[in-house]
Amino acid sequence: MSGFTMSTVVPTPYEQAVADVRSALADAGFGVLTEIDIKATLKTKLDVDVDPKIILGACRPQLAHAALTADSRVAALLPCNVVVSADGDGSSLIEIMDPGVMEEFTGTAELGPIADDARTRLTGVLDALTSAE
């Protein structure tokens, strides 16, 4: 694992990239529980302008339950954050928290297979987004 995220840049404008990410997550069995519009939040709270960025809190309930059963502290790492950012010139950056950090951070070996399943699914999301180009 390099860092704590998996990422790709797609040659898709931000609004379309957000829709594509939502669709790819659903295809991989994830629902979006939360969303934070960073641009709107920072404008409202601090009156600053930043490029469009949204955090989608993605969850596959079966994996979340299994992870919480293995180590309840993993709740602090849930849901899986998926970030879509405008990347200039009509492209978008997609970043996903690498589920592998769950086992790494907690030291709970039972999380390994659960994290592997989540990582495989989320890598599939990134692959689907890049193959749709």
Side-chain angles (χ1 to χ4, degrees):
M1 176 176 71
S2 137
F4 59 93
T5 62
M6 307 177 297
S7 64
T8 192
V9 174
V10 294
T12 308
Y14 173 77
E15 309 278 337
Q16 184 61 50
V18 172
D20 292 348
V21 167
R22 288 179 188 279
S23 178
L25 285 168
D27 290 347
F30 288 84
V32 175
L33 299 178
T34 61
E35 63 180 73
I36 301 167
D37 183 333
I38 297 295
K39 178 178 177 65
T41 300
L42 293 179
K43 183 64 175 175
T44 300
K45 302 292 183 181
L46 301 175
D47 195 26
V48 296
D49 293 309
V50 297
D51 290 335
K53 182 184 297 276
I54 192 167
I55 302 170
L56 303 174
C59 180
R60 179 165 169 82
Q62 302 89 330
L63 293 174
H65 180 256
L68 290 165
T69 300
D71 187 334
S72 65
R73 299 173 302 161
V74 85
L77 302 173
L78 297 177
C80 292
N81 284 323
V82 180
V83 181
V84 182
S85 305
D87 198 39
D89 204 26
S91 63
S92 299
L93 172 64
I94 317 300
E95 297 173 285
I96 302 176
M97 187 192 82
D98 187 339
V101 302
M102 291 189 306
E103 180 182 7
E104 218 175 283
F105 284 173
T106 64
T108 303
E110 293 84 5
L111 289 170
I114 301 160
D116 289 345
D117 185 354
R119 188 172 208 278
T120 297
R121 291 173 183 278
L122 293 169
T123 298
V125 166
L126 293 175
D127 291 345
L129 292 167
T130 55
S131 69
E133 298 172 16

